[in-house]
Amino acid sequence: MNTKNFSTLVGVTAIAVVIAGWVIMSRPATESSDFDGTLVFPDLLDSIDDLDTVVIRHKDGLSTLKVTDSGWAFVERDNYPVQSEKIGELLVKLTRMEKVEPKTKLAEKYDRLDLVDPADKEDTRAKEVVLKNSAGDDIARLMVGKRKFTLGTSEGGTYVLMADDPQAWLVTGELNPGARPRDWLVREISNIK
């Protein structure tokens, strides 16, 4: 390789490095999500022993699940027994939910995330979940919206809106509280051996 070719190659390389540096520096900055592992309901685990009632409000009405002497019962279905493992699954998901990313604070955009209150819109898929203690006080209250099926992990996420907070959040876990009685009721009528 002669000196002239070598000098040309060095010059082209230097120009390429300068252009690459300029492209990297002029690129818009990207921000990571606000995920810091903050629990949505940090005190829920401490209050779970006081849980007496789970109320799920949806477009078709209300589902009230209440603790009785014989276990959980569906109030609107004459206190028919409820699958206690379904209640347990809901509670585990609620206690483990972590904030991933803040979304909108604008009420007019809640519809995109299925977070419109069922009382305000007939065809919404949103469900309000309220956990109450025996005195009737709220332990936890949130509006559950659309699910996001991938967060880059095997576990998906859900859009939620906490009570008295206009900030919608994407949280970990696929929370889908059942809206139909058959989602909760014990379906085994008899077990004859």
Side-chain angles (χ1 to χ4, degrees), residues 35 100 148-157 172-174:
F35 179 69
V100 175
K148 183 169 179 140
F149 292 101
T150 177
L151 290 177
T153 64
S154 60
E155 185 178 26
T172 57
E174 291 183 25

Side-chain angles (χ1 to χ4, degrees), residues 39-51 88 90-97 131 139-140:
L39 291 173
V40 174
F41 298 110
D43 301 325
L44 181 57
L45 197 56
D46 297 332
S47 308
I48 216 79
D49 289 337
D50 300 328
L51 180 64
L90 174 68
L91 296 177
V92 167
K93 287 181 178 182
L94 287 171
T95 57
R96 294 180 63 199
M97 274 191 328
L131 307 183
I139 296 173

Side-chain angles (χ1 to χ4, degrees), residues 57 110 114-122 124 126 128 143 161:
R57 193 166 51 90
Y110 291 162
D114 283 339
L115 290 173
V116 177
D117 191 318
D120 298 336
K121 186 176 178 193
E122 288 182 14
T124 185
E128 183 182 39
M143 192 70 64
L161 192 60

Side-chain angles (χ1 to χ4, degrees), residues 39-133:
L39 291 173
V40 174
F41 298 110
D43 301 325
L44 181 57
L45 197 56
D46 297 332
S47 308
I48 216 79
D49 289 337
D50 300 328
L51 180 64
D52 180 71
T53 308
V54 176
V55 179
I56 301 164
R57 193 166 51 90
H58 43 85
K59 68 178 181 178
D60 297 324
L62 199 65
S63 299
T64 309
L65 313 172
K66 187 164 179 55
V67 175
T68 64
D69 293 337
S70 57
W72 285 92
F74 200 117
V75 174
E76 289 81 12
R77 292 289 188 255
D78 294 325
N79 291 326
Y80 196 83
V82 170
Q83 300 175 54
S84 57
E85 61 273 3
K86 294 273 189 177
I87 298 282
E89 182 181 318
L90 174 68
L91 296 177
V92 167
K93 287 181 178 182
L94 287 171
T95 57
R96 294 180 63 199
M97 274 191 328
E98 297 176 351
K99 294 177 180 178
V100 175
E101 185 178 10
K103 292 300 179 183
T104 186
K105 285 185 178 182
L106 304 173
E108 60 269 16
K109 293 191 177 182
Y110 291 162
D111 194 29
R112 293 181 183 178
L113 303 175
D114 283 339
L115 290 173
V116 177
D117 191 318
D120 298 336
K121 186 176 178 193
E122 288 182 14
D123 63 341
T124 185
R125 289 187 279 174
K127 298 176 190 102
E128 183 182 39
V129 178
V130 184
L131 307 183
K132 294 180 175 283
N133 61 20

